[in-house]
Amino acid sequence: MNKPPVLGNISPIIPAGGDMEKAIAFYEQLGFTTIHKEGDPVIMAIIKRDCAEIFLQKNDDQHLAEWTTFRIKVDGIEQLYQEFQAQGGQMIHPNGQLQTQPWGMKEFAIIDVTGVCITFFEPEN
């Protein structure tokens, strides 16, 4: 069969700081499940929630973490925002409250324990 290639989900590898257990706990608080850990002490972990998969890599480079950002598409963004608000909302970026952007995306941003910025988004229509 001659099928065209189709790209699927991406799995970013992001800096998780020096304390991997702290990073893993943060993402588990966001509803992710740890599906793999490597090393003793842990130097890499894979976390997953629904179709979103992230590789956490032990890395103390604060500058790298603060310049790392990516986006995750969500169905039900308002419910996800409420879920994070119900946990106190401290992970939500100070300038990243839920809002509709001029480009037609409803989105909000969080900052993880190392400074990585993740934007969750849902198309308006």
Side-chain angles (χ1 to χ4, degrees), residues 74-94:
V74 178
D75 290 326
I77 193 156
E78 290 179 17
Q79 294 85 340
L80 184 65
Y81 188 72
Q82 289 169 0
E83 178 186 317
F84 293 170
Q85 290 283 51
Q87 296 179 31
Q90 345 44 335
M91 72 287 287
I92 296 170
H93 189 291

Side-chain angles (χ1 to χ4, degrees), residues 2-105:
N2 206 2
K3 255 171 63 172
V6 176
L7 301 183
N9 300 333
I10 68 165
S11 301
I13 300 171
I14 66 169
D19 186 342
M20 289 294 292
E21 294 304 329
K22 182 178 176 184
I24 291 165
F26 174 84
Y27 283 95
E28 287 179 347
Q29 180 188 353
L30 298 184
F32 284 81
T33 301
T34 303
I35 59 172
H36 178 76
K37 286 183 183 181
E38 215 164 275
D40 186 14
V42 178
I43 57 167
M44 192 274 290
I46 304 170
I47 55 164
K48 187 171 180 141
R49 177 170 174 171
D50 306 316
C51 295
E53 183 179 76
I54 302 169
F55 286 66
L56 302 175
Q57 184 76 48
K58 185 173 184 175
N59 186 321
D60 283 322
D61 186 337
Q62 189 66 38
H63 185 73
L64 177 63
E66 289 173 355
W67 279 93
T68 300
T69 184
F70 60 96
R71 299 168 57 81
I72 299 175
K73 186 176 181 209
V74 178
D75 290 326
I77 193 156
E78 290 179 17
Q79 294 85 340
L80 184 65
Y81 188 72
Q82 289 169 0
E83 178 186 317
F84 293 170
Q85 290 283 51
Q87 296 179 31
Q90 345 44 335
M91 72 287 287
I92 296 170
H93 189 291
N95 302 322
Q97 285 78 21
L98 182 64
Q99 59 185 315
T100 300
Q101 299 294 349
W103 50 88
M105 296 292 168

